[in-house]
Amino acid sequence: MNKADPYAGERLLESPFHPRQAPLNLREAWSAWNGYRFAECYYDAEYEYFCVRNACATYDISPMQKYIISGGDSEAMLNRMVTRDVTKLKENRVTYVVWCNDQGRMVDDGTIFKLASDRFMLTCGSSCVAWLKMSAFGFADVSCEDVSDKIAALSFQGPTTCAVLKRMGLDGIETAKPYDIRHFPFGRGPLMVSRTGFTGDLGYELWIDPALALELWDRLYAIGADYGIQPYGEAATNMARLEAGFIMPGMEFNEALKTVHLEHDHTPFELNLGWLVDFNKPHFNGRSALLAEKQRGPKYVLTRLDIEGNKPAEHSWLYGNKRCTKEIGYVTSAMWSPAAKANIALAMIRSEHLKGEIWAFIDYAKELRQYSKIARCTVKDKPFWAPGRARATPPADF
Amino acid sequence: MTQLGHYDSIIIGAGHNGLVCAAYLARAGQRVLLLEASDSVGGLASSREFHPGFKAPVAHSVNHFSKSIAVELGLKAHGLVIDVGSVPCVGLSPEGKHVFLNGAELRGVSDDEREAYARYSRQLQRFARALEPFWLKTIPRIGPNKLGDMLTFGHMGLNLRRLGKADLREFLRVFSLPMRDLMDENFDSDILKSLLSWDGLIGSKMAPRSPNNAVLTLLYRMVGTTMSGGVGALVSALEAAATAAGAEIRTDARVQRIRVSGSASGLRATGVELGNGEVFEADWVVSSADPQTTFLSLIGVENLEIDFTNRIKRLRCKGYVAKLHLALNSSPTFGGIEDSGGRMIIAPDLDSIEFAFDDAKYGRWSEHPVMEITLPSVHDASLAPPDQHVLSAHVMFVPYDLQGGWNEATRDALSERIIDTIERYAPGIRQTVVGRELLTPADLEHAFGVTGGHWHHTEMALDQMLMMRPTYEAAQYATPIPGLYLCGAGCHPGGDLTGAPGHNAAHEILK
Amino acid sequence: MKRYDAIIIGAGHNGLTNAAYLAKAGLDVVVVEKNDYIGGAAASREMHEGWIYSSCSYVCSMMRQAIHRDLDLSRHGLMLVPYLGTVSFADDGQVLKLYTNAEVEYLELRRHSPHDADSMHRFRADLTRYSQLIRKTLMRTPPDPVSFKPRDIKELLFLARQFWTLGEREIYEYIRFFTMSAAEFLDDYFENGLIKASMATPGIIGTALGVCSPGSAYILLHHVMGDVDGNIGAWGLARGGMGAISNAIASALQAEGGEIRTHSGVQQIMVRHGKACGVVLENGDEINAGIVVSNLDAKRTFTQIMDRKDLPPGIYDKARNFKIRGSSGKVNIALSGLPKFTNVPENRYINRGGLTFTGSMETLERAYDCWKRGRWSDVPFVESVIPSAWDPTVAPPGKHWMSNFIQYCPPKLASGPWTPEKRDAFGQTVVDRIERYSPGFRDLIVHMEVRTPDDIEKEIGLTEGNIFQGELTIDQLHFNRPFPGYAQYRMPVKNLYMCGSSTHPGGGVSATCGANAAREILMDLKRPNTVPQDDCYDE
């Protein structure tokens, strides 16, 4: 950063991959994430999306928050914080978790990487420093270190990713099962690879010292060139994750501690994440509130909808009858799914209306003229997109 | 089917609230075990030898113990005389123009002031009486309540309503008033203002200019009863009452951990584990330890919710009162005081209290400490050898975290400063001092296991009162851990020798 | 002789608002003002040729937009421009720049403390939630809690319902917030000393409490519950200075046929047969009116311009005991150029907001300790803003006007009465404080005007120079403001009302006290209400 720049303090930070990504961002479509400059898209969001589904693509997750939780009490501390049983997590495995406040409302979601018996990495979308500090209070032997700026990370997703990594010399990467972690030497330092991602497809996440970030990028792009490699941004990510049925903070839920209106946050049960709540593990935060919620049944349930027609139902109201007199919920995210060729949505629906008819009142525009339509919605139990290759071990090369 | 080592209730800590709670539970037929870490009962009210032949309790006067508890527990039968009349209180003046207050009788001020005091005192008495029933009641949650709870609120509303329009309006105005404003509105005499505001401030982190709880603390201290024989007699009577009711008391039994078992339906407290590894089981575990000790040390955060833990952690538990004990080889003489059996306040004006507080804010003790002095040996001859005396002083404001830390040198310097101050009012007293002991808040924490050395376990402040004491979800004596109850000063209604928290906790357990 | 329907004493912004609403209802009103200018503490005055000072009040956030819109103040010349943010200076020269852009603010906070950058979200959410409840009460008349009148019971139920809907836990947190000190409240969120201190400063502005005094957390809320265009906590400047607000309201009043008389200080409120019936001016003139509305503070109204024997028993004592403590000073400085600050880059966004010379929590608290002892601190808290950096109307091109608000400044000095020398010394303390962070600042000074609480009282008529017309502690808030039993703008003498900041909801250029009083007066006169309902962005 130029010292003489009087606006230095006002500018967004740049990720370790920025020098390579910036020239590729032909649309100069930048947004911001945790204070970092971050691509909305590089060239065309739909094109980038198809690169994820069709070949391979990289998504810069360096701005994601990363914490190393270590010490003799680190497992106990995490286990009390999150709803899943962390003691069941094996070394070099990753698990998806949510954590709640005392009322069982979701503070955030993220992943825990078990690096050693007393060493974990927690990742999440936005800063969790204060909650971690509160959660760690009272445990004698635990330290929480914010390593967000000390680890560069690239999400590498798509059907050809395994082939590229193999060609890069990551021996045995094809034997890594979903949620496995593998370590490889890379240049002067180690490279950690986890078989994780946010696209619902085959994919990996690569974790490395920021000093080696560009070297990693260059290797990946040199080899990936023959496999259709392409950087993708927030917009394509959002498409892929919606097809996979993953939730996004700020779309499907508000972080409880940052919510003004106390009804505007959510429990894991409302987000259809009840499977993450383990009542058979030792005490964890929000337990009694969640037990009560489970027994009572959640007020809303996040539901996958297949909507007739092809008009995306973003921000639509949902009704229990075609006349639209009985309001039963609202759409949180919606789009036309290029993979499923379906008009899909995630929606919050009041639980008592899940079984009945669901109609979406969709507003759309044609050449500035506003139209609306009422479309029938069908509840889908399975994700809209869940290819076998996402789980296959070893994955095929294409 | 009580098995060996299994009790109905185990009470942690034999302070006066632990004793009261044990006595009530045992009287209700429970098998009760009372465990005390130190070698004697009484906690802050127990008498300890601080110099060969000289003893003193930390709490140095009993003037508002709950009368109904004293009667119900039959303390009379154990040698206590209650309602022995008000404890006289003197505001010492550096110029010798002392102000004497004994119940309704006020001397040393102008007729106008006396009249103002009568008016002021009548109004405060009305307020105090309206609130009195609620010190011995569980304050329900603001939320979905049972009928009985609603009745408590109804009763409260009715009692306040019964004050009449003018009084109620005035109550709603003055309840959070800083002491200084209340005093300035009513009085002119500096000594009188210090004297009357003392009971609103002592023991708290409140200065005369601080709005908040001072008036309510004052009202809390205006009810209850006085007793003969001082603090020691009360503790002995409570111990006798508890034992007579069948409670088992073990001293030198430090509880290391409250045992908590987990199941699919949640956690439950099942007993305690002592430092020596002994384990006792019980249906109810009742802690008279302060809330931070109870939850953070004895229960452990892994059994608690994160935000709840944070609320316990943020409780304001640092004490600001130090205790000085002097062993005197003769009867001290305070200039212009004939009867030295009461309380004597050294605080020439409200600014002297305010400025002493200012020093403590920054972690220093004041060069001009303000204090309350008693001679406990006047009422309890056993505390000192014949014709010799014990002087006990509560000194404000002395910080728990002294800048640079407490050590012998800082303790000595403060003791000297306090003795200098007393010397001014009792010339020659320094020569009669044969032994002394200073207990800073840090010492109180160390000696009695009270976090922060706070008299009231945690600050009596509006956000830590009533259904928020010590914090919501633990304010009705029950805690988030089924089977675990609180019965100490950290519960409603708060600190001092009143017996109320112990009494209220027992009633909740017996519900 | 002419008899008006209503006389309003004091042409401060609340008096003008009150008059405007009465005039709008068809009443024949006159506002009498002792000074030769209107606006009271919200005035723009040319104190040095070419420079317009907002000599007292200097920023705006609490002005209710419902009133702004209803009186069509934009048409009458009012334009409120939001601030960009604030720069705080620590004792050690560290700088915290909080701008309104969320990403940039996050980065800046993270530079100081990653923990606090995260916590700030929770702090803002909590503060917004707390302020939403109070905001709902601003344009409502407080109920009398001991009354059985249907109206009072209805209002009490309304409040109870609002309180209840917070939920049990929030009620407890709310009580905590309402009663505790800013310092302890902030301890729950922040670790960094500068962030804490800079968040604490709204808790002491204008009040005789310190950051460690219980009750200061509410003062903090009182300062952040305002909004600009719905952004709660945002502050703005009035184009042309704060006088633009008063002038616009006056213009609206005159458009409705109301009259304003300057140079007309009131000697006494006339009471006949237990009813207020007019005023006697300092020049001996009498003005008769059906009702009298005092925009003066409660203490001044009852102890200075009323005859004690006209008052029911006890009222004089209540007024005497009314807590209205001077604690703030003001220094207005004309500058020959824009000052530069150490550690603050020179870019176009700096100086588009406030500058706070904060120091640390201890610096703030020690400044309060000095006030208690009848002195001013050598390192007082100074809140500054340079409106000319973005308002071209208040200083010649290239020149600047800097408004400096100082907490604390005692109304009476332990060393004896204020003198011109002491006032200068106070002014120099402030300049020294700024110079420390802006070497060469002193050389830019073209003209300087220093106001102690004593000066503010003498000129504006605020007792002790208290900017809120009475402390904002629980004993003087809502149904206790100004006195228990008289919180509904009607005073103990019939036909006498109050409409100043001594009444609910208290200090700040909000226009609500004046509007609320007008609503009550019109109700008594059985006239149709002209006062709009508040608009709540948050509901």
Side-chain angles (χ1 to χ4, degrees), chain B residues 165-372:
Chain B
K165 268 193 184 188
D167 264 1
L168 177 53
R169 278 197 176 120
E170 188 61 4
F171 177 75
L172 292 175
R173 184 181 75 92
V174 303
F175 82 94
S176 70
L177 215 56
M179 266 302 151
R180 187 188 174 104
D181 293 343
L182 187 68
M183 293 302 135
D184 285 350
E185 285 178 10
N186 288 288
F187 308 109
D188 292 321
S189 153
D190 284 333
I191 297 280
L192 181 63
K193 287 181 193 177
S194 300
L195 180 64
L196 293 177
S197 55
W198 191 260
D199 273 352
L201 304 173
I202 179 86
S204 300
K205 189 189 173 187
M206 295 278 163
R209 284 184 190 271
S210 311
N212 201 305
N213 205 64
V215 172
L216 288 181
T217 304
L218 186 64
L219 295 175
Y220 172 60
R221 286 173 167 159
M222 282 175 68
V223 296
T225 177
T226 52
M227 290 175 171
S228 64
V231 178
L234 172 66
V235 170
S236 313
L238 286 174
E239 183 182 6
T243 316
E248 186 183 331
I249 301 177
R250 281 214 199 183
T251 52
D252 291 311
R254 179 178 295 279
V255 172
Q256 185 84 14
R257 195 84 182 154
I258 296 170
R259 288 165 70 93
V260 177
S261 75
S263 72
S265 61
L267 303 173
R268 187 171 177 91
T270 58
V272 300
E273 196 179 310
L274 300 191
N276 63 11
E278 269 184 281
V279 171
F280 296 96
E281 291 188 337
D283 294 338
W284 288 279
V285 177
V286 191
S287 174
S288 76
D290 68 87
Q292 289 195 343
T293 301
T294 304
F295 289 111
L296 304 181
S297 308
L298 299 180
I299 287 287
V301 297
E302 67 277 14
N303 294 314
L304 298 170
E305 304 284 278
I306 293 169
D307 189 47
F308 180 84
T309 308
N310 184 51
R311 297 205 312 273
I312 295 295
K313 174 187 156 218
R314 80 187 181 191
L315 288 173
R316 304 193 291 288
C317 295
K318 284 179 185 157
Y320 281 85
V321 188
K323 185 72 192 290
L324 180 74
H325 295 140
L326 296 181
L328 306 176
N329 62 14
S330 68
S331 183
T333 319
F334 283 81
I337 309 285
E338 286 136 33
D339 172 15
S340 49
R343 304 155 69 202
M344 291 173 276
I345 312 284
I346 299 181
D349 55 26
L350 289 174
D351 270 346
S352 70
I353 307 178
E354 186 76 32
F355 296 165
F357 179 78
D358 285 347
D359 288 320
K361 277 192 303 204
Y362 308 113
R364 284 197 307 268
W365 47 264
S366 173
E367 282 296 324
H368 305 283
V370 294
M371 67 192 84
E372 169 185 328

Side-chain angles (χ1 to χ4, degrees), chain C residues 454-496:
Chain C
D454 188 48
D455 300 322
I456 296 172
E457 165 154 15
K458 284 191 180 122
E459 183 184 320
I460 312 295
L462 292 164
T463 302
E464 288 196 19
N466 179 298
I467 67 168
F468 296 140
Q469 280 202 354
E471 287 290 322
L472 297 171
T473 43
I474 298 177
D475 53 300
Q476 294 191 162
L477 279 176
H478 205 235
F479 54 69
N480 283 332
R481 193 169 185 87
F483 324 125
Y486 297 100
Q488 298 181 332
Y489 308 92
R490 291 170 195 81
M491 289 303 122
V493 174
K494 209 166 163 18
N495 295 346
L496 176 67

